[in-house]
Short mmCIF file of all heavy atoms in Angstrom, two decimals:
data_model
loop_
_atom_site.label_atom_id
_atom_site.label_comp_id
_atom_site.label_asym_id
_atom_site.label_seq_id
_atom_site.Cartn_x
_atom_site.Cartn_y
_atom_site.Cartn_z
N MET A 1 -0.80 8.04 -6.01
CA MET A 1 0.26 9.01 -5.87
C MET A 1 1.23 8.82 -7.03
O MET A 1 1.59 7.71 -7.38
CB MET A 1 0.99 8.80 -4.55
CG MET A 1 2.13 9.77 -4.36
SD MET A 1 3.18 9.48 -2.94
CE MET A 1 2.03 9.55 -1.62
N ILE A 2 1.61 9.92 -7.60
CA ILE A 2 2.60 9.93 -8.67
C ILE A 2 3.69 10.91 -8.27
O ILE A 2 3.40 12.04 -7.88
CB ILE A 2 1.97 10.35 -10.01
CG1 ILE A 2 0.91 9.34 -10.42
CG2 ILE A 2 3.04 10.50 -11.08
CD1 ILE A 2 0.13 9.74 -11.64
N THR A 3 4.93 10.47 -8.37
CA THR A 3 6.04 11.37 -8.07
C THR A 3 6.95 11.44 -9.30
O THR A 3 7.09 10.49 -10.05
CB THR A 3 6.86 10.88 -6.87
OG1 THR A 3 7.45 9.62 -7.17
CG2 THR A 3 5.98 10.77 -5.64
N THR A 4 7.55 12.59 -9.49
CA THR A 4 8.49 12.78 -10.59
C THR A 4 9.40 13.96 -10.28
O THR A 4 9.05 14.83 -9.49
CB THR A 4 7.74 13.04 -11.92
OG1 THR A 4 8.70 13.21 -12.96
CG2 THR A 4 6.85 14.26 -11.84
N ASN A 5 10.55 13.95 -10.90
CA ASN A 5 11.43 15.10 -10.76
C ASN A 5 11.38 15.99 -11.99
O ASN A 5 12.15 16.93 -12.12
CB ASN A 5 12.87 14.65 -10.48
CG ASN A 5 13.44 13.79 -11.59
OD1 ASN A 5 12.72 13.31 -12.45
ND2 ASN A 5 14.74 13.57 -11.55
N LEU A 6 10.46 15.69 -12.91
CA LEU A 6 10.31 16.50 -14.12
C LEU A 6 9.13 17.45 -14.00
O LEU A 6 8.06 17.07 -13.54
CB LEU A 6 10.07 15.60 -15.33
CG LEU A 6 11.21 14.72 -15.79
CD1 LEU A 6 10.76 13.84 -16.95
CD2 LEU A 6 12.42 15.53 -16.18
N ASP A 7 9.33 18.67 -14.46
CA ASP A 7 8.22 19.62 -14.56
C ASP A 7 7.27 19.14 -15.65
O ASP A 7 7.68 18.44 -16.58
CB ASP A 7 8.74 21.01 -14.92
CG ASP A 7 9.51 21.67 -13.79
OD1 ASP A 7 9.23 21.35 -12.62
OD2 ASP A 7 10.40 22.49 -14.09
N PHE A 8 6.01 19.55 -15.56
CA PHE A 8 5.05 19.17 -16.58
C PHE A 8 5.51 19.58 -17.98
O PHE A 8 5.22 18.89 -18.96
CB PHE A 8 3.68 19.78 -16.29
CG PHE A 8 2.97 19.17 -15.12
CD1 PHE A 8 2.30 19.97 -14.21
CD2 PHE A 8 2.95 17.80 -14.93
CE1 PHE A 8 1.62 19.40 -13.14
CE2 PHE A 8 2.27 17.23 -13.87
CZ PHE A 8 1.61 18.04 -12.97
N GLU A 9 6.22 20.68 -18.08
CA GLU A 9 6.68 21.16 -19.38
C GLU A 9 7.62 20.17 -20.06
O GLU A 9 7.80 20.20 -21.28
CB GLU A 9 7.40 22.52 -19.23
CG GLU A 9 6.47 23.65 -18.85
CD GLU A 9 6.19 23.69 -17.35
OE1 GLU A 9 6.98 23.15 -16.58
OE2 GLU A 9 5.15 24.26 -16.97
N MET A 10 8.22 19.27 -19.32
CA MET A 10 9.16 18.29 -19.87
C MET A 10 8.52 16.94 -20.18
O MET A 10 9.14 16.09 -20.80
CB MET A 10 10.32 18.09 -18.88
CG MET A 10 11.05 19.35 -18.50
SD MET A 10 11.89 20.11 -19.89
CE MET A 10 13.15 18.93 -20.19
N TRP A 11 7.29 16.72 -19.76
CA TRP A 11 6.65 15.42 -19.93
C TRP A 11 6.49 15.02 -21.39
O TRP A 11 6.51 13.84 -21.72
CB TRP A 11 5.30 15.40 -19.22
CG TRP A 11 5.39 15.20 -17.74
CD1 TRP A 11 6.39 15.60 -16.92
CD2 TRP A 11 4.42 14.57 -16.92
NE1 TRP A 11 6.11 15.26 -15.62
CE2 TRP A 11 4.90 14.63 -15.60
CE3 TRP A 11 3.19 13.99 -17.16
CZ2 TRP A 11 4.19 14.10 -14.52
CZ3 TRP A 11 2.48 13.46 -16.10
CH2 TRP A 11 2.98 13.51 -14.80
N HIS A 12 6.35 15.99 -22.30
CA HIS A 12 6.19 15.64 -23.71
C HIS A 12 7.41 14.90 -24.24
O HIS A 12 7.31 14.15 -25.20
CB HIS A 12 5.90 16.89 -24.55
CG HIS A 12 7.07 17.80 -24.69
ND1 HIS A 12 7.43 18.70 -23.72
CD2 HIS A 12 7.98 17.91 -25.69
CE1 HIS A 12 8.52 19.34 -24.10
NE2 HIS A 12 8.88 18.88 -25.29
N GLU A 13 8.58 15.08 -23.62
CA GLU A 13 9.78 14.37 -24.04
C GLU A 13 9.70 12.88 -23.68
O GLU A 13 10.32 12.05 -24.35
CB GLU A 13 11.02 14.99 -23.41
CG GLU A 13 11.28 16.40 -23.90
CD GLU A 13 12.49 17.04 -23.26
OE1 GLU A 13 13.28 16.31 -22.62
OE2 GLU A 13 12.64 18.26 -23.40
N ILE A 14 8.93 12.55 -22.67
CA ILE A 14 8.76 11.15 -22.27
C ILE A 14 7.67 10.49 -23.10
O ILE A 14 7.84 9.38 -23.61
CB ILE A 14 8.41 11.06 -20.76
CG1 ILE A 14 9.48 11.74 -19.91
CG2 ILE A 14 8.17 9.63 -20.34
CD1 ILE A 14 10.85 11.13 -20.02
N PHE A 15 6.53 11.14 -23.24
CA PHE A 15 5.38 10.55 -23.92
C PHE A 15 5.36 10.79 -25.43
O PHE A 15 4.57 10.19 -26.14
CB PHE A 15 4.09 11.05 -23.28
CG PHE A 15 3.96 10.61 -21.85
CD1 PHE A 15 4.13 11.53 -20.82
CD2 PHE A 15 3.70 9.30 -21.52
CE1 PHE A 15 4.02 11.13 -19.49
CE2 PHE A 15 3.59 8.89 -20.20
CZ PHE A 15 3.75 9.81 -19.19
N LEU A 16 6.23 11.68 -25.91
CA LEU A 16 6.47 11.92 -27.34
C LEU A 16 5.28 12.46 -28.13
O LEU A 16 5.36 12.56 -29.34
CB LEU A 16 6.98 10.63 -28.01
CG LEU A 16 8.23 10.02 -27.38
CD1 LEU A 16 8.58 8.74 -28.11
CD2 LEU A 16 9.38 11.00 -27.38
N ASP A 17 4.22 12.81 -27.46
CA ASP A 17 3.05 13.36 -28.15
C ASP A 17 2.50 14.49 -27.30
O ASP A 17 1.93 14.24 -26.23
CB ASP A 17 2.00 12.27 -28.36
CG ASP A 17 0.79 12.75 -29.11
OD1 ASP A 17 0.57 13.98 -29.20
OD2 ASP A 17 0.04 11.90 -29.62
N PRO A 18 2.66 15.74 -27.75
CA PRO A 18 2.22 16.88 -26.94
C PRO A 18 0.73 16.87 -26.62
O PRO A 18 0.33 17.26 -25.53
CB PRO A 18 2.59 18.10 -27.76
CG PRO A 18 3.52 17.63 -28.81
CD PRO A 18 3.33 16.16 -28.98
N VAL A 19 -0.11 16.43 -27.56
CA VAL A 19 -1.56 16.41 -27.33
C VAL A 19 -1.90 15.36 -26.28
O VAL A 19 -2.66 15.62 -25.34
CB VAL A 19 -2.32 16.16 -28.65
CG1 VAL A 19 -3.81 16.02 -28.39
CG2 VAL A 19 -2.04 17.28 -29.64
N LEU A 20 -1.35 14.16 -26.42
CA LEU A 20 -1.56 13.10 -25.44
C LEU A 20 -1.05 13.53 -24.07
O LEU A 20 -1.71 13.31 -23.05
CB LEU A 20 -0.85 11.82 -25.88
CG LEU A 20 -0.83 10.69 -24.87
CD1 LEU A 20 -2.22 10.10 -24.70
CD2 LEU A 20 0.14 9.62 -25.30
N THR A 21 0.12 14.15 -24.04
CA THR A 21 0.70 14.59 -22.78
C THR A 21 -0.17 15.63 -22.10
O THR A 21 -0.40 15.56 -20.88
CB THR A 21 2.12 15.16 -23.01
OG1 THR A 21 2.91 14.17 -23.67
CG2 THR A 21 2.76 15.55 -21.71
N ALA A 22 -0.69 16.59 -22.85
CA ALA A 22 -1.57 17.61 -22.28
C ALA A 22 -2.83 16.97 -21.71
O ALA A 22 -3.28 17.34 -20.62
CB ALA A 22 -1.92 18.64 -23.33
N ALA A 23 -3.40 16.01 -22.42
CA ALA A 23 -4.60 15.33 -21.94
C ALA A 23 -4.30 14.53 -20.67
O ALA A 23 -5.09 14.54 -19.71
CB ALA A 23 -5.15 14.40 -23.01
N LEU A 24 -3.17 13.87 -20.64
CA LEU A 24 -2.77 13.10 -19.47
C LEU A 24 -2.59 13.99 -18.24
O LEU A 24 -3.12 13.71 -17.16
CB LEU A 24 -1.47 12.35 -19.76
CG LEU A 24 -0.86 11.57 -18.62
CD1 LEU A 24 -1.74 10.39 -18.23
CD2 LEU A 24 0.53 11.09 -18.99
N ILE A 25 -1.89 15.09 -18.41
CA ILE A 25 -1.67 16.03 -17.31
C ILE A 25 -3.00 16.62 -16.84
O ILE A 25 -3.24 16.75 -15.64
CB ILE A 25 -0.67 17.13 -17.71
CG1 ILE A 25 0.72 16.53 -17.90
CG2 ILE A 25 -0.64 18.25 -16.68
CD1 ILE A 25 1.72 17.47 -18.54
N ASP A 26 -3.86 16.95 -17.79
CA ASP A 26 -5.18 17.50 -17.45
C ASP A 26 -5.96 16.53 -16.57
O ASP A 26 -6.54 16.91 -15.56
CB ASP A 26 -5.95 17.81 -18.73
CG ASP A 26 -7.31 18.41 -18.44
OD1 ASP A 26 -7.36 19.45 -17.76
OD2 ASP A 26 -8.31 17.82 -18.88
N ARG A 27 -5.96 15.26 -16.94
CA ARG A 27 -6.73 14.27 -16.18
C ARG A 27 -6.08 13.94 -14.83
O ARG A 27 -6.77 13.73 -13.84
CB ARG A 27 -6.90 13.01 -17.02
CG ARG A 27 -7.98 13.21 -18.07
CD ARG A 27 -7.82 12.25 -19.24
NE ARG A 27 -8.85 12.44 -20.25
CZ ARG A 27 -8.82 13.38 -21.18
NH1 ARG A 27 -7.83 14.24 -21.22
NH2 ARG A 27 -9.79 13.48 -22.06
N LEU A 28 -4.76 13.92 -14.81
CA LEU A 28 -4.07 13.63 -13.55
C LEU A 28 -4.22 14.75 -12.52
O LEU A 28 -4.29 14.50 -11.32
CB LEU A 28 -2.59 13.37 -13.79
CG LEU A 28 -2.21 12.05 -14.43
CD1 LEU A 28 -0.72 12.04 -14.74
CD2 LEU A 28 -2.57 10.89 -13.51
N THR A 29 -4.25 15.98 -13.00
CA THR A 29 -4.26 17.11 -12.07
C THR A 29 -5.65 17.62 -11.72
O THR A 29 -5.80 18.43 -10.81
CB THR A 29 -3.43 18.28 -12.64
OG1 THR A 29 -3.96 18.66 -13.91
CG2 THR A 29 -1.97 17.90 -12.78
N HIS A 30 -6.67 17.13 -12.42
CA HIS A 30 -8.04 17.56 -12.13
C HIS A 30 -8.41 17.12 -10.71
O HIS A 30 -8.38 15.94 -10.39
CB HIS A 30 -9.00 16.95 -13.15
CG HIS A 30 -10.42 17.33 -12.94
ND1 HIS A 30 -10.87 18.62 -13.15
CD2 HIS A 30 -11.48 16.61 -12.52
CE1 HIS A 30 -12.16 18.65 -12.89
NE2 HIS A 30 -12.56 17.46 -12.50
N LYS A 31 -8.71 18.07 -9.86
CA LYS A 31 -9.07 17.83 -8.46
C LYS A 31 -7.93 17.18 -7.66
O LYS A 31 -8.17 16.54 -6.65
CB LYS A 31 -10.33 16.98 -8.34
CG LYS A 31 -11.56 17.66 -8.89
CD LYS A 31 -12.81 16.85 -8.60
CE LYS A 31 -14.03 17.55 -9.12
NZ LYS A 31 -15.25 16.82 -8.83
N ALA A 32 -6.71 17.35 -8.11
CA ALA A 32 -5.55 16.76 -7.42
C ALA A 32 -4.91 17.79 -6.50
O ALA A 32 -5.11 19.00 -6.65
CB ALA A 32 -4.52 16.29 -8.44
N HIS A 33 -4.16 17.32 -5.57
CA HIS A 33 -3.33 18.17 -4.71
C HIS A 33 -1.90 18.04 -5.20
O HIS A 33 -1.32 16.95 -5.13
CB HIS A 33 -3.42 17.73 -3.24
CG HIS A 33 -4.78 17.88 -2.66
ND1 HIS A 33 -5.24 19.08 -2.18
CD2 HIS A 33 -5.77 16.99 -2.51
CE1 HIS A 33 -6.48 18.91 -1.74
NE2 HIS A 33 -6.82 17.65 -1.94
N LEU A 34 -1.36 19.13 -5.70
CA LEU A 34 0.02 19.12 -6.19
C LEU A 34 0.93 19.66 -5.10
O LEU A 34 0.68 20.72 -4.52
CB LEU A 34 0.15 19.98 -7.44
CG LEU A 34 -0.74 19.59 -8.62
CD1 LEU A 34 -0.51 20.55 -9.78
CD2 LEU A 34 -0.46 18.16 -9.04
N ILE A 35 1.98 18.93 -4.83
CA ILE A 35 2.95 19.33 -3.82
C ILE A 35 4.30 19.46 -4.50
O ILE A 35 4.86 18.47 -4.98
CB ILE A 35 3.02 18.29 -2.68
CG1 ILE A 35 1.65 18.13 -2.04
CG2 ILE A 35 4.08 18.71 -1.66
CD1 ILE A 35 1.57 16.98 -1.06
N ASN A 36 4.81 20.67 -4.55
CA ASN A 36 6.13 20.91 -5.10
C ASN A 36 7.13 20.94 -3.96
O ASN A 36 6.96 21.67 -2.98
CB ASN A 36 6.19 22.23 -5.86
CG ASN A 36 5.37 22.18 -7.12
OD1 ASN A 36 5.39 21.18 -7.83
ND2 ASN A 36 4.65 23.24 -7.40
N ARG A 37 8.16 20.14 -4.08
CA ARG A 37 9.16 20.06 -3.03
C ARG A 37 10.51 20.42 -3.63
O ARG A 37 10.97 19.78 -4.57
CB ARG A 37 9.22 18.66 -2.46
CG ARG A 37 10.20 18.55 -1.33
CD ARG A 37 10.37 17.10 -0.92
NE ARG A 37 11.39 16.94 0.09
CZ ARG A 37 12.69 16.92 -0.16
NH1 ARG A 37 13.14 17.08 -1.36
NH2 ARG A 37 13.56 16.76 0.82
N ASP A 38 11.10 21.44 -3.10
CA ASP A 38 12.46 21.81 -3.47
C ASP A 38 13.35 21.50 -2.29
O ASP A 38 12.96 21.64 -1.14
CB ASP A 38 12.56 23.31 -3.80
CG ASP A 38 11.84 23.66 -5.08
OD1 ASP A 38 11.83 22.82 -5.99
OD2 ASP A 38 11.29 24.77 -5.16
N GLY A 39 14.54 21.08 -2.59
CA GLY A 39 15.46 20.80 -1.50
C GLY A 39 16.31 19.59 -1.80
O GLY A 39 16.29 19.01 -2.88
N GLU A 40 17.04 19.20 -0.80
CA GLU A 40 17.98 18.09 -0.92
C GLU A 40 17.23 16.77 -1.11
O GLU A 40 16.21 16.52 -0.49
CB GLU A 40 18.82 18.03 0.35
CG GLU A 40 19.86 16.95 0.33
CD GLU A 40 20.65 16.87 1.63
OE1 GLU A 40 20.27 17.55 2.60
OE2 GLU A 40 21.61 16.11 1.66
N SER A 41 17.78 15.92 -1.95
CA SER A 41 17.21 14.61 -2.19
C SER A 41 17.52 13.67 -1.03
O SER A 41 18.68 13.51 -0.64
CB SER A 41 17.78 14.01 -3.48
OG SER A 41 17.49 12.65 -3.58
N TYR A 42 16.48 13.06 -0.48
CA TYR A 42 16.66 12.12 0.62
C TYR A 42 17.49 10.92 0.16
O TYR A 42 18.40 10.46 0.85
CB TYR A 42 15.29 11.66 1.14
CG TYR A 42 15.35 10.58 2.18
CD1 TYR A 42 15.66 10.89 3.50
CD2 TYR A 42 15.12 9.25 1.86
CE1 TYR A 42 15.72 9.90 4.47
CE2 TYR A 42 15.19 8.26 2.81
CZ TYR A 42 15.49 8.58 4.12
OH TYR A 42 15.56 7.60 5.06
N ARG A 43 17.19 10.38 -1.01
CA ARG A 43 17.91 9.21 -1.51
C ARG A 43 19.37 9.53 -1.78
O ARG A 43 20.26 8.72 -1.48
CB ARG A 43 17.24 8.66 -2.75
CG ARG A 43 15.96 7.92 -2.43
CD ARG A 43 15.32 7.45 -3.69
NE ARG A 43 14.81 8.65 -4.35
CZ ARG A 43 13.69 8.71 -5.02
NH1 ARG A 43 12.98 7.66 -5.18
NH2 ARG A 43 13.28 9.83 -5.54
N LEU A 44 19.64 10.69 -2.33
CA LEU A 44 21.03 11.08 -2.59
C LEU A 44 21.80 11.21 -1.28
O LEU A 44 22.92 10.73 -1.15
CB LEU A 44 21.09 12.39 -3.37
CG LEU A 44 22.49 12.93 -3.64
CD1 LEU A 44 23.30 11.95 -4.46
CD2 LEU A 44 22.39 14.28 -4.35
N ARG A 45 21.17 11.82 -0.28
CA ARG A 45 21.82 11.97 1.03
C ARG A 45 22.12 10.61 1.65
O ARG A 45 23.22 10.37 2.16
CB ARG A 45 20.95 12.80 1.95
CG ARG A 45 21.56 13.02 3.32
CD ARG A 45 20.67 13.84 4.20
NE ARG A 45 19.28 13.40 4.03
CZ ARG A 45 18.27 13.86 4.73
NH1 ARG A 45 18.45 14.77 5.63
NH2 ARG A 45 17.06 13.40 4.53
N GLU A 46 21.16 9.69 1.59
CA GLU A 46 21.37 8.35 2.16
C GLU A 46 22.48 7.60 1.42
O GLU A 46 23.29 6.92 2.04
CB GLU A 46 20.07 7.54 2.12
CG GLU A 46 19.04 8.04 3.11
CD GLU A 46 19.52 7.93 4.55
OE1 GLU A 46 19.98 6.85 4.94
OE2 GLU A 46 19.44 8.94 5.27
N THR A 47 22.52 7.73 0.11
CA THR A 47 23.57 7.07 -0.68
C THR A 47 24.93 7.63 -0.31
O THR A 47 25.89 6.87 -0.16
CB THR A 47 23.31 7.25 -2.18
OG1 THR A 47 22.03 6.68 -2.49
CG2 THR A 47 24.38 6.58 -3.02
N MET A 48 25.01 8.92 -0.17
CA MET A 48 26.28 9.55 0.21
C MET A 48 26.72 9.08 1.59
O MET A 48 27.90 8.78 1.81
CB MET A 48 26.16 11.07 0.17
CG MET A 48 25.91 11.63 -1.22
SD MET A 48 27.19 11.27 -2.40
CE MET A 48 28.46 12.35 -1.83
N ASN A 49 25.79 8.99 2.54
CA ASN A 49 26.12 8.50 3.88
C ASN A 49 26.62 7.06 3.85
O ASN A 49 27.58 6.72 4.52
CB ASN A 49 24.92 8.63 4.81
CG ASN A 49 24.63 10.06 5.19
OD1 ASN A 49 25.51 10.93 5.10
ND2 ASN A 49 23.42 10.34 5.61
N LEU A 50 25.97 6.22 3.07
CA LEU A 50 26.39 4.82 2.96
C LEU A 50 27.76 4.70 2.31
O LEU A 50 28.57 3.86 2.70
CB LEU A 50 25.36 4.01 2.17
CG LEU A 50 24.03 3.77 2.86
CD1 LEU A 50 23.04 3.11 1.89
CD2 LEU A 50 24.21 2.90 4.09
N THR A 51 28.03 5.54 1.31
CA THR A 51 29.32 5.52 0.62
C THR A 51 30.44 5.94 1.58
O THR A 51 31.52 5.35 1.57
CB THR A 51 29.28 6.45 -0.59
OG1 THR A 51 28.21 6.05 -1.45
CG2 THR A 51 30.58 6.41 -1.36
N LEU A 52 30.17 6.94 2.40
CA LEU A 52 31.19 7.42 3.32
C LEU A 52 31.47 6.43 4.44
O LEU A 52 32.58 6.37 4.96
CB LEU A 52 30.75 8.77 3.93
CG LEU A 52 30.68 9.93 2.94
CD1 LEU A 52 30.10 11.16 3.62
CD2 LEU A 52 32.05 10.23 2.36
N GLN A 53 30.48 5.61 4.79
CA GLN A 53 30.67 4.61 5.85
C GLN A 53 31.47 3.41 5.37
O GLN A 53 32.07 2.72 6.19
CB GLN A 53 29.30 4.14 6.38
CG GLN A 53 28.54 5.21 7.12
CD GLN A 53 27.15 4.75 7.53
OE1 GLN A 53 26.77 3.62 7.27
NE2 GLN A 53 26.40 5.64 8.14
N ALA A 54 31.49 3.14 4.09
CA ALA A 54 32.17 1.94 3.55
C ALA A 54 33.66 2.11 3.50
O ALA A 54 34.26 3.08 3.58
CB ALA A 54 31.63 1.62 2.16
#
């Protein structure tokens, strides 16, 4: 399982090589199940709750 908050279009900024990045994405997504989740961040919500309790 791989999770990220970056769209594939932004991955070249991390790996610094567009050809390498395209090959990596191609291999990772071949026969993969991609799940896009939009919505509130669970970790951000928990951090906010902990901050308010302190």
Side-chain angles (χ1 to χ4, degrees):
M1 179 187 302
I2 297 173
T3 63
T4 180
N5 60 346
L6 292 177
D7 290 331
F8 288 138
E9 292 82 22
M10 304 296 291
W11 281 31
H12 71 279
E13 294 179 14
I14 303 299
F15 296 107
L16 304 178
D17 182 342
V19 175
L20 172 70
T21 304
L24 176 67
I25 292 170
D26 181 57
R27 283 158 180 81
L28 286 174
T29 57
H30 180 69
K31 295 187 179 181
H33 296 277
L34 302 179
I35 301 171
N36 291 319
R37 183 188 175 281
D38 291 326
E40 182 182 9
S41 167
Y42 174 79
R43 285 178 289 217
L44 177 61
R45 181 180 42 175
E46 289 298 309
T47 300
M48 296 299 287
N49 288 339
L50 290 173
T51 303
L52 293 174
Q53 292 175 2

